[in-house]
Amino acid sequence: MAILEVDNISKRFGGLLALNDVSFGVEKGEILGIIGPNGAGKTTLFGVVSGFIAPSSGDVRFDGQRITGISPDRLTRCGLVRSFQIVQTFADMTTLEVVTTAALTRRPLRQAIDYAAEVLTRVGLGAKLDETPATLSLQDKKLLEVAKCVATDPQCILLDEVMAGLTMAETEAPMAIIRELNSSGVTIVMVEHVMPVIMRMATRMVVINFGEKIAEGTPDEIIKDRKVIDAYFGEHLDA
Ligand SMILES: Nc1ncnc2c1ncn2[C@@H]1O[C@H](COP(=O)(O)OP(=O)(O)OP(=O)(O)O)[C@@H](O)[C@H]1O
Ligand SMILES: [Mg+2]
């Protein structure tokens, strides 16, 4: 059963058609990978799905309900949450306070604080509860983004390049967390440029180029797709 349906979404920014009639479904419990070159429209797509950006046309359905135009905080309460590619930091808050704010989605304050500490520990930031996000390393900032999502108890998480900028060794921790979340029933949609990571993690993939979906399939199918090779991998795969 599809938990998320993207139906004919287009998004125009002035003269730029950032998304052009994009449709696909996300099955409950899967890990769907979304790839595409820089500027393809991946983050815009996440913005539309998560309620941050109003589409020019098309609809999004979550759990069978039309959610187009519903605010991000209401969607978070419905169980659909996203991470941000550009990590947002809050100057005066500690990591515990940041994640507690997210945990308040479903819990009263005292439980939210305890749950936030538990989630931060689960992602490996248990020793950094009192640090401000600005002082964290890039890897830890990314883990904090994941923790913020997890603390809302989502059914479906949209992860926008949580591994970007990390070394292969550093991707192990977020990969393990994402797999664990998925095993506990959370549907994952992830945009990722780190190809070895997305190929290993995704059960299915969607490829976007210049705002259009150009391919959809298993990682094995995608890596052999001529349109994908031309658009995304360029010459280095042929070399
Ligand atoms: N708010 C905006 N106003 C105008 N143009 C925008 C806006 N947001 C994105 N764009 C443009 O829309 C296109 C798609 O951008 P988007 O950020 O969705 O791409 P992306 O696939 O996430 O790229 P990257 O891999 O670099 O993160 C780009 O040309 C971008 O410049
Ligand atoms: Mg992006």
Side-chain angles (χ1 to χ4, degrees), residues 13 16 18 36-45 85 161 193:
F13 292 115
L16 176 83
N38 289 119
K42 306 176 299 292
T43 297
T44 304
L45 178 66
Q85 180 177 1
E161 297 202 33
H193 272 303

Side-chain angles (χ1 to χ4, degrees), residues 1 15 33 41 51 54 57 75 82 98 105 107 112-113 134-135 137 140 153 160 179 185 189 198 207 226 234:
M1 191 197 122
S57 58
L75 289 179
R82 75 175 287 191
V98 168
T105 304
R107 288 170 169 76
I113 296 169
T135 64
S137 68
D140 285 350
D153 292 315
D160 198 351
R179 284 217 178 86
V189 184
I198 197 103
V207 187
R226 190 71 239 173

Side-chain angles (χ1 to χ4, degrees), residues 135-147:
T135 64
L136 298 179
S137 68
L138 176 67
Q139 183 190 20
D140 285 350
K141 281 181 184 155
K142 302 254 175 187
L143 292 172
L144 179 62
E145 272 294 299
V146 176

Side-chain angles (χ1 to χ4, degrees), residues 125-164:
L125 294 176
K128 296 175 181 165
L129 303 187
D130 295 327
E131 292 191 20
T132 55
T135 64
L136 298 179
S137 68
L138 176 67
Q139 183 190 20
D140 285 350
K141 281 181 184 155
K142 302 254 175 187
L143 292 172
L144 179 62
E145 272 294 299
V146 176
K148 268 164 59 188
C149 291
V150 173
T152 66
D153 292 315
Q155 290 181 59
C156 179
I157 299 191
L158 313 175
L159 296 170
D160 198 351
E161 297 202 33
V162 289
M163 322 268 185

